[in-house]
């Protein structure tokens, strides 16, 4: 249980308190996570003003898209674990004479979270997303973390892109950083990519 102490212990009296919330039996699935969330006072709920701001900015601005480098026709993919819930980076490697081009595209969160806004202040307070085996406590509301800032397959997303030219030993020869827009071709997993690299035809 989650308990609020109403009377602290003394040498002659135990502490007293009131039960705020029943979390469940200690052996129940997920109760250990609930205990850790409360023990470390992790912020589980976003304030109304932060949620309102997230909903107001969580859309793709077509005027902004028109100003960016357009990578949407390329077979760019995300690669994450099987249980990943948000996809914030994507890659493409192409081979050319004497080396490779490596593209790395990172979700452009700064386009939606402006400095000193309610979203920014809440994200600073949280510091990072916290991941548990069965859930995550995100740094940003779901409208952003799993929505417009998640590089989901088949959906246009704003990114910051680094385009690197590599030699045959994968040493960086040159690079360019640009604002871009992508449309991920697939959500791949480490297991799938490993199978491809091992030559598994399926």
């Amino acid at each position: 249980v989650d308990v609020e102490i109403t009377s602290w212990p003394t040498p002659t009296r135990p502490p007293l308190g009131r039960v705020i919330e029943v979390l469940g039996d200690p052996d129940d699935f997920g109760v250990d996570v609930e205990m850790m969330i409360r023990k470390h006072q992790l912020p589980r709920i976003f304030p109304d003003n932060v949620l309102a701001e997230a909903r107001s900015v969580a859309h793709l601005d077509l005027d902004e898209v028109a100003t960016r480098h357009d990578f949407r026709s390329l077979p760019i993919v995300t690669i994450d674990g099987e249980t990943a819930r948000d996809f914030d980076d994507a890659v493409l490697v192409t081979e050319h004479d004497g080396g490779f081009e490596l593209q790395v595209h990172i979700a452009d969160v700064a386009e939606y979270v402006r400095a000193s806004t309610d979203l920014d202040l809440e994200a600073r307070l949280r510091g990072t997303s916290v991941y548990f085996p069965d859930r995550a406590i995100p740094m940003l509301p779901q409208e952003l973390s799993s929505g417009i800032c998640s590089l989901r397959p088949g959906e246009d997303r704003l990114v910051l892109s680094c385009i690197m030219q590599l030699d045959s030993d994968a040493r960086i020869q040159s690079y360019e950083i640009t604002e871009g827009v992508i449309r991920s071709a697939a959500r791949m997993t480490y297991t799938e990519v490993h199978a491809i690299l091992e030559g598994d035809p399926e």
Side-chain angles (χ1 to χ4, degrees):
V1 295
D2 194 11
V3 176
E4 178 187 20
I5 300 297
T6 57
S7 178
W8 292 95
T10 68
T12 59
R13 189 184 66 203
L16 299 175
R18 66 184 184 90
V19 174
I20 298 173
E21 184 181 7
V22 177
L23 304 182
D25 186 279
D27 295 326
D28 287 349
F29 179 78
V31 169
D32 54 345
V33 172
E34 295 293 343
M35 291 169 59
M36 294 303 293
I37 289 171
R38 286 156 183 80
K39 176 180 179 180
H40 296 286
Q41 299 180 338
L42 299 176
R44 296 170 294 148
I45 300 170
F46 285 96
D48 289 342
N49 60 324
V50 173
L51 290 174
E53 186 178 318
R55 294 185 189 107
S56 71
V57 301
H59 62 274
L60 191 68
D61 184 338
L62 297 182
D63 291 335
E64 177 63 25
V65 169
T67 68
R68 292 179 171 237
H69 192 118
D70 193 341
F71 298 97
R72 289 177 289 184
S73 64
L74 301 176
I76 296 165
V77 299
T78 59
I79 307 173
D80 294 277
E82 275 79 1
T83 61
R85 297 172 184 85
D86 50 6
F87 314 108
D88 51 16
D89 52 77
V91 295
L92 173 66
V93 179
T94 53
E95 189 172 8
H96 54 73
D97 293 340
F100 307 89
E101 179 180 89
L102 168 62
Q103 296 184 11
V104 178
H105 304 277
I106 308 294
D108 191 357
V109 178
E111 183 65 30
Y112 303 98
V113 182
R114 302 294 185 166
S116 300
T117 60
D118 291 337
L119 274 170
D120 180 44
L121 296 176
E122 181 68 18
R124 289 170 183 264
L125 177 68
R126 291 172 178 242
T128 184
S129 298
V130 180
Y131 295 92
F132 293 101
D134 64 334
R135 76 194 80 172
I137 298 177
M139 186 172 68
L140 297 169
Q142 297 290 338
E143 289 85 351
L144 299 179
S145 61
S146 298
I148 197 67
C149 295
S150 184
L151 307 181
R152 299 189 297 207
E155 298 184 18
D156 293 353
R157 292 290 185 259
L158 301 181
V159 291
L160 287 179
S161 304
C162 185
I163 314 303
M164 292 162 271
Q165 305 303 322
L166 312 178
D167 66 16
S168 57
D169 293 319
R171 288 188 293 258
I172 297 175
Q173 301 300 294
S174 64
Y175 67 90
E176 173 192 5
I177 296 175
T178 184
E179 293 181 329
V181 57
I182 70 167
R183 183 182 298 143
S184 172
R187 176 264 198 268
M188 303 194 73
T189 68
Y190 297 125
T191 303
E192 292 169 337
V193 172
H194 178 73
I196 291 170
L197 295 177
E198 290 295 306
D200 184 335
E202 184 180 345

